[in-house]
Amino acid sequence: MNPSAAGWINKFGSLAEKEQDLYTDFDSHYCDLRNTGFVYGINMEIPEFLVPEYKLSEDEKAKINLLHALYGIYRLETNESEFEPFLEKTFEFYKVLKVGHFSFLSKMLTGSTTPARLEKLIEARVSLGDSLINKTFSSVITNSLLFIDVLLFKCYLGDPRDIREQAKLMEYLTINITYHALSSKETNKSDERLALLFASSLTFIESDAQDFDGSYRQQLLEKRSEIENRYFLDIACLAVWEDKSLEYQESEFIFGLGKDLGLKEDIITSSLDKIKLFFLKNSKTVPFLKDTNLAIQFYDNMSKMVNKLILRNSKRLQKELAESKELVFLISKSTIKDLTPEEKKKVQKQLIDIFKSIPSLAIFLLPGGAVLLPIFIKLIPKLLPSSFDENRIEK
């Protein structure tokens, strides 16, 4: 599955529908999303049932985890597993929220089906940078408050009324919890970058750390679902633990917040333990912890984009040429004895793919071909070999 190419949502659905034991209860689903880093807004992994052929970028992991999270909530709330009704409900949800505006070019390259439109909507939702320049120069490129979408979707499935007001309130509470947690400790550069990361991810409100006064705590006392309260606590734990230490004042804040949220002490302790393990495992690769200047950010981000295009397209061509070895064997075999119907179909399919490979090779070898090839995949997918269609659903 390639989350940067058309058709990835349907491919995900064909795989996720088979996972009957994956979405059994809210607790296990939430723990799974936390382990991938999605709850923290730092996507380090994807669900275990998905095995990528190549290294995924941060935004690609975020796309997969967002869809995985929404689908899990849908299955748990409705007891339905059919993927198509889920897509319709999800697209309807984002339309009500009025998010997902994208460029004219993106609309032109998008089909009229719900999965195709949802692919572009999720891409716009995940990415903070709305242009190539923003994505190249910014170290913060992925929305870190995507789990709020999941909480809102859960509310929407139960009662769709006033969903935008709920969105504003959830963002308000999340950003204020972050500011309060950071104010409970001695700040450093990574604290500032974390605050910037969350502030840049706001969609429904505008907020400034200078406006923080602590009055939000009163609203936390209102009755909320446990999954919302666990999310708020995990965000607070993220904010106090990113410097890999927990002072007495910070611990006091976390346990006080957990008490306000009505959470048991073992859940609060578990939340702290989970964030410790997460940073122990991923601290060297967490993006906002890297202290880089603008020039290095530009070089790193541009290198990632170019390397991703070259690596994936070269692997596709390599795969196509490797498949031709079987064709040579089958043709040689046909000179000695008759091929089976299945073998004849393979010969026919691979011959067609080789003919398609000729324009693909020409495009790839041109200056800038690695950049042009993904555009051709979107515009004329039928002219490219089958190995280029990583989102093909096997029947």
Side-chain angles (χ1 to χ4, degrees), residues 130-152:
D130 57 358
S131 69
L132 180 63
I133 292 182
N134 285 347
K135 291 179 181 179
T136 303
F137 279 97
S138 176
S139 61
V140 180
I141 60 172
T142 302
N143 189 332
S144 291
L145 297 177
L146 289 173
F147 192 75
I148 290 179
D149 288 20
V150 181
L151 298 176
L152 291 170

Side-chain angles (χ1 to χ4, degrees), residues 90-99 117 121 164:
T90 304
F91 190 70
E92 175 189 286
F93 161 70
Y94 276 118
K95 282 176 66 178
V96 172
L97 273 183
K98 298 179 182 177
V99 300
R117 289 183 291 174
L121 193 151
R164 274 189 67 87

Side-chain angles (χ1 to χ4, degrees), residues 35-270:
N35 290 338
T36 64
F38 180 69
V39 168
Y40 301 127
I42 308 168
N43 294 275
M44 305 306 295
E45 298 176 16
I46 59 173
E48 291 183 355
F49 74 93
L50 298 173
V51 182
E53 293 185 11
Y54 40 73
K55 185 177 180 181
L56 297 173
S57 61
E58 182 186 350
D59 59 309
E60 289 174 328
K61 293 175 186 175
K63 288 180 189 178
I64 292 172
N65 287 336
L66 175 58
L67 190 64
H68 167 57
L70 292 170
Y71 182 53
I73 289 294
Y74 176 82
R75 284 180 63 157
L76 291 166
E77 286 288 304
T78 65
N79 292 318
E80 298 289 341
S81 61
E82 286 190 47
F83 199 66
E84 190 173 335
F86 156 71
L87 295 182
E88 295 293 341
K89 183 63 70 173
T90 304
F91 190 70
E92 175 189 286
F93 161 70
Y94 276 118
K95 282 176 66 178
V96 172
L97 273 183
K98 298 179 182 177
V99 300
H101 300 291
F102 35 88
S103 69
F104 172 76
L105 179 61
S106 295
K107 292 178 180 178
M108 184 180 71
L109 295 176
T110 302
S112 58
T113 63
T114 298
R117 289 183 291 174
L118 194 58
E119 282 174 7
K120 299 310 299 182
L121 193 151
I122 287 179
E123 183 177 344
R125 188 72 183 122
V126 164
S127 179
L128 289 176
D130 57 358
S131 69
L132 180 63
I133 292 182
N134 285 347
K135 291 179 181 179
T136 303
F137 279 97
S138 176
S139 61
V140 180
I141 60 172
T142 302
N143 189 332
S144 291
L145 297 177
L146 289 173
F147 192 75
I148 290 179
D149 288 20
V150 181
L151 298 176
L152 291 170
F153 189 53
K154 185 177 185 298
C155 295
Y156 180 79
L157 292 172
D159 184 359
R161 293 174 298 178
D162 301 323
I163 197 68
R164 274 189 67 87
E165 291 304 313
Q166 292 184 61
K168 292 177 183 179
L169 178 58
M170 284 190 189
E171 281 198 347
Y172 167 78
L173 292 174
T174 303
I175 198 68
N176 275 272
I177 286 170
T178 304
Y179 289 151
H180 197 171
L182 293 175
S183 70
S184 71
K185 58 190 288 192
E186 186 177 343
T187 57
N188 53 46
K189 286 186 177 181
S190 59
D191 290 334
E192 295 172 2
R193 287 194 289 272
L194 178 62
L196 173 64
L197 183 67
F198 278 82
S200 300
S201 299
L202 294 172
T203 301
F204 307 102
I205 65 169
E206 294 182 4
S207 182
D208 193 307
Q210 295 178 348
D211 298 333
F212 165 72
D213 59 9
S215 60
Y216 77 95
R217 291 290 284 263
Q218 187 61 36
Q219 296 189 57
L220 288 178
L221 298 175
E222 298 176 5
K223 188 175 181 181
R224 301 188 173 281
S225 68
E226 183 175 336
I227 192 172
E228 290 178 23
N229 290 338
R230 289 182 67 177
Y231 171 67
F232 293 143
L233 181 66
D234 280 332
I235 290 301
C237 290
L238 167 67
V240 300
W241 188 256
E242 53 76 31
D243 57 1
K244 306 179 190 67
S245 64
L246 187 68
E247 304 297 334
Y248 172 78
Q249 187 177 357
E250 298 165 3
S251 176
E252 189 177 38
F253 166 74
I254 291 296
F255 279 90
L257 176 65
K259 184 178 179 181
D260 286 351
L261 294 169
L263 298 173
K264 296 179 181 179
E265 188 170 324
D266 61 330
I267 292 179
I268 301 171
T269 303
S270 174

